[in-house]
Amino acid sequence: MSMVQEQIDVDVPLTTAYNQWTQFEDFPRFMEGVEQVTQLDDRHNHWTTKVAGVTREFDTEIVDQLPDQKIAWRTTGGEVQQMGVVTFERLDDQHTTVRLAIDFEPDGIAERAADAMGMVDRRVKGDLRRFKSFIEDHGVEGGGWRGRITPGG
């Protein structure tokens, strides 16, 4: 497994940043290579990605979600093996740190080479910069789900 960890400060309140991140179907608007995310229920999403001309589909399950603090997930099917967590830290009334950590298993020679060259780190960093622009330009979240999901629950 490989790990990527990145963070960014966004100029919006904590609740705004958190609420927007729960809008998984908006991810293609700021995540490079994400073609579509379909939310199946409170815990499950179906993803379609296209990276370097290769389309992949997989499912994720939210395994821990605590409003205004964190969302943790893992893949449950398809060609992608990963798990991760995004956390939110209030800096003050109008600023939030978003931290993203992803463990993933590169599949094949091309993905292992891309990982070794730091391309995955750069992509995640770019996704966080685009999230920052997206949420700051809008100023408000496009919705939010504030339910609690507990591990094993």
Side-chain angles (χ1 to χ4, degrees), residues 2-135:
S2 291
M3 173 170 265
V4 174
Q5 295 182 64
E6 296 292 342
Q7 71 178 47
I8 197 160
D9 293 343
V10 295
D11 298 337
V12 298
L14 174 115
T15 299
T16 301
Y18 173 85
N19 283 349
Q20 184 59 58
W21 201 277
T22 67
Q23 301 306 290
F24 305 111
E25 292 183 354
D26 284 345
F27 281 12
R29 297 174 73 181
F30 58 85
M31 287 189 171
E32 183 180 352
V34 176
E35 298 280 310
Q36 183 176 15
V37 179
T38 304
Q39 189 160 2
L40 305 173
D41 59 34
D42 291 343
R43 282 187 178 267
H44 300 93
N45 293 294
H46 181 78
W47 293 64
T48 304
T49 62
K50 188 172 187 178
V51 178
V54 177
T55 299
R56 297 207 173 165
E57 293 193 34
F58 57 95
D59 294 322
T60 57
E61 175 185 28
I62 307 286
V63 294
D64 193 7
Q65 184 167 341
L66 182 59
D68 292 338
Q69 292 185 27
K70 71 178 173 179
I71 302 168
W73 73 92
R74 65 180 176 158
T75 55
T76 60
E79 305 168 333
V80 176
Q81 297 297 315
Q82 70 168 237
M83 63 181 71
V85 63
V86 60
T87 60
F88 304 85
E89 179 184 349
R90 178 187 181 276
L91 297 175
D92 61 35
D93 288 348
Q94 294 299 315
H95 301 92
T96 305
T97 297
V98 179
R99 289 185 182 88
L100 184 59
I102 302 172
D103 279 322
F104 66 98
E105 186 65 46
D107 183 34
I109 294 170
E111 283 186 16
R112 285 192 289 279
D115 180 36
M117 292 187 299
M119 293 175 73
V120 177
D121 291 46
R122 286 191 296 280
R123 174 167 285 191
V124 170
K125 187 173 278 193
D127 289 345
L128 286 177
R129 281 194 309 267
R130 284 184 293 277
F131 175 75
K132 175 181 174 68
S133 294
F134 179 82
I135 191 62

